[in-house]
């Protein structure tokens, strides 16, 4: 599990990105459970994620950040990345970000992909 914390800050909201190898639905569940064992991530406003399993369907979860899971999946598809879950975590800072939140999700995923 790789975690990059505090990579983006905008109007009080803070972002982190994490990820790791996941080849099955069970591994995805185990990854998310392990991430949320960290109190900071368990208390986050959103933990959005996406993964393209090698032998299964693409999976995603917006966790209340509507559309963010699809943004992550599209980026993974474009890069041809399979078997890697990417989780973008947001701690809401009190001000709505509008469409900028999608740019921040993209920037966070790019940050992660550039490091694997």
């Amino acid at each position: 599990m790789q975690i990059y914390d505090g990579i983006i800050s905008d109007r009080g909201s803070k972002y982190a990105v994490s990820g790791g190898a996941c080849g099955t639905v069970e591994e995805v569940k185990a990854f998310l459970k392990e991430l949320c064992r960290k109190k900071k991530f368990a208390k986050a406003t959103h933990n959005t994620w996406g993964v393209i399993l090698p032998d299964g369907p693409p999976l995603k979860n917006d966790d209340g950040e509507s559309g963010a899971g699809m943004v992550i999946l599209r980026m993974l598809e474009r890069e041809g990345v399979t078997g890697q879950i990417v989780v973008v975590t947001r701690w809401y800072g009190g001000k709505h970000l509008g469409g900028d939140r999608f740019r921040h999700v993209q920037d966070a995923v790019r940050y992660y992909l550039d490091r694997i």
Side-chain angles (χ1 to χ4, degrees):
M1 178 181 296
Q2 297 178 37
I3 298 174
Y4 302 101
D5 194 5
I7 59 168
I8 299 167
S9 182
D10 182 5
R11 290 169 264 179
S13 287
K14 296 188 185 330
Y15 285 82
V17 65
S18 53
C22 285
T24 65
V25 172
E26 292 76 23
E27 289 176 350
V28 169
K29 289 177 184 176
F31 182 95
L32 295 168
K33 186 175 181 180
E34 182 66 27
L35 181 66
C36 287
R37 279 196 180 132
K38 296 166 184 21
K39 192 174 186 179
K40 180 177 184 176
F41 287 87
K43 290 188 168 209
T45 312
H46 308 287
N47 282 300
T48 60
W49 58 270
V51 60
I52 301 172
L53 299 176
D55 296 324
L59 303 172
K60 67 177 175 65
N61 188 317
D62 293 336
D63 192 29
E65 187 81 286
S66 183
M70 185 54 75
V71 171
I72 297 168
L73 273 185
R74 283 192 188 128
M75 291 186 72
L76 293 175
E77 287 171 352
R78 265 185 258 145
E79 296 290 324
V81 175
T82 60
Q84 282 280 328
I85 188 170
V86 177
V87 181
V88 177
T89 302
R90 177 182 177 196
W91 293 270
Y92 181 64
K95 295 193 178 179
H96 291 284
L97 302 181
D100 287 342
R101 63 195 170 100
F102 294 111
R103 184 174 45 85
H104 296 325
V105 170
Q106 288 176 329
D107 291 345
V109 174
R110 173 60 42 218
Y111 189 94
Y112 180 81
L113 293 176
D114 287 348
R115 283 155 181 79
I116 60 170

